[in-house]
Amino acid sequence: MRIGIRLVGAVAGAAIVAMTATFALGAASEEVKHVPLGGSLTGQQGDRYFGVYVPTRFGGVLTIKASSGTVEEIVGPDGKTRKNGEEVGTDQQGWYRFKVGQVEPDSRYTVETSFVQLGLSKRLPWNFYYWPTKADAIHEPWAGGNGRVDTMQPLGDDQMVASPGGYIAPGQDIIRAGPNGLLETPASPGDTITWFPNLYDDLTFRGADGTIYATPSPMLKYDQIFGSTARNWEAANSQNQDIQRWPGHCLGGAVASIMLEEPIPAPGSGFTQDELKSLWAESGENHYNHQIGDYANEIPPGPPRPGFDATDAHAPRFHNMLETHIRGNRQNLLGNLRAFPPRGTVNEVWNHGIGKFIATYHAIPGKGERSVRLEVEVYANSGSNLNNEDPKPRMVKYEYTLVYGLDGKIDLTNAFPSDWISVGGEGQFCPLNILEVVSTRWQGHNPYITEANIRSIDMANGGSGGRFARTTAPTWRPVNSYEAGRAPLFASGNNRIGDASAASPRRGLFRLFGGR
């Protein structure tokens, strides 16, 4: 027969709690003790029944251990038996009864539970490189320099930004690339060169010691295939000259990694996979073109701490995004996870695709079974992966408390009791946002980079190869040869060289659609 049971609360001397479900126990009623989720109950004796409450409707793995005897008869809120250490299933929030049997006579034992939820999208976002817009520059070394400007004059259209022979602080720029985007001045002894691959590079780069390096040249190659002036436009319009900031194309790269299959360049296009990804990153960089559905936005940076602070009220909505979309719908999300530790600043923007999280649940003593503390690991893709040199995901740890409703969903109307406790791993602050990207229009700031052209050379995203299906790649020409005799492009809009607004990272101001 089915008999109603009472749970005896055993956490910090908690009082008896009325059980909300019934279980088939056999011929007689038995006392059932409450074991906290993610906690333990000590000093138990003999064969007996226990209960543990799972608050979420999105499921997870429930594991029960006893230091003596065996764990038996795990029965969920639907009355069905479960196997220990297996997934409980969707919409199975509520009480789970189990028995510890075959206990050694007169022994005292401990019962403990764990509940872990894995959220995993159908296809994890692929890694990318963020393609900074910072111009190549000669500068004073950050360490070991002589504090003087040793390179006395620029060549080509390079720009002198320090007084020749004068005093200069460590790391400060001396000569920067001009509107053509190419650093044409060699560094004199005592000075060095900052260089990171960007969209408007030439085929080679000369280091401070004269060594010639082969470089990715995505827009130069694009121009020679499609007869455009994309490289010239990018160099003239998108260069960032602020040495303190390194904005780039992490927004476009992250959105592309969420929305598209990992690109495969047509064999005869001559593009590497990284170069093809860069074209998609440019096409997705215009934040006005992204349609956003559900979101948690404008989260204060913190860093969070135990007790009241401005981040606390945002924890429920943030975790609701993870649980609803990654776990429930198995879809990727877009998030600005802010700076890396230990020296990052709150205004840094690091956009990522997020496709995985692991949440470990703990009941909160004295707060009721639907109040929980979560330890969460969020896994995002790498935004600094070039030539597959940094393929590992970025993992950020968060810890916060929140309350679930009886329906197994996070109670978003009851954010007051929440506490965003900490951030760790490869994170320093709370994320600025986490967003559901519903759709996008692939048109970035560069008018010469078109979706149709990119797809024509991307075998994974609509391209058949076409005229690029040939087996031999084009013979590439350097910038000075390909662009010889052409009139220079002049910068326009708000991104012109020297415009302070060009140095400010985009904060992801999206068009927001749908309900919160």
Side-chain angles (χ1 to χ4, degrees), residues 190-201:
D191 297 334
T192 190
I193 294 178
T194 292
W195 171 78
F196 285 95
N198 54 46
L199 294 178
Y200 45 84
D201 268 329

Side-chain angles (χ1 to χ4, degrees), residues 49-132:
Y49 286 92
F50 298 89
V52 60
Y53 190 86
V54 172
T56 174
R57 67 170 296 270
F58 290 97
V61 173
L62 177 63
T63 303
I64 302 165
K65 296 179 180 179
S67 61
S68 178
T70 60
V71 177
E72 306 168 354
E73 302 177 24
I74 302 174
V75 178
D78 58 358
K80 296 180 180 179
T81 302
R82 304 298 203 283
K83 291 184 178 179
N84 198 5
E86 291 190 354
E87 177 69 42
V88 300
T90 304
D91 289 321
Q92 295 303 309
Q93 70 275 9
W95 289 104
Y96 286 73
R97 182 222 65 192
F98 62 93
K99 179 181 179 181
V100 176
Q102 304 180 47
V103 177
E104 292 291 331
D106 300 324
S107 69
R108 292 185 177 271
Y109 61 92
T110 298
V111 182
E112 61 181 285
T113 70
S114 71
F115 187 76
V116 179
Q117 185 185 76
L118 168 65
L120 190 65
S121 65
K122 294 177 183 177
R123 177 190 60 78
L124 288 174
W126 35 264
N127 297 320
F128 62 95
Y129 177 63
Y130 81 110
W131 299 97

Side-chain angles (χ1 to χ4, degrees), residues 7-23:
L7 281 179
V8 178
V11 181
I16 294 176
V17 181
M19 193 165 189
T20 59
T22 57
F23 300 105

Side-chain angles (χ1 to χ4, degrees), residues 362-374:
H362 303 274
I364 303 175
K367 294 292 185 180
E369 62 271 5
R370 290 185 283 110
S371 294
V372 291
R373 175 176 60 86
L374 300 182

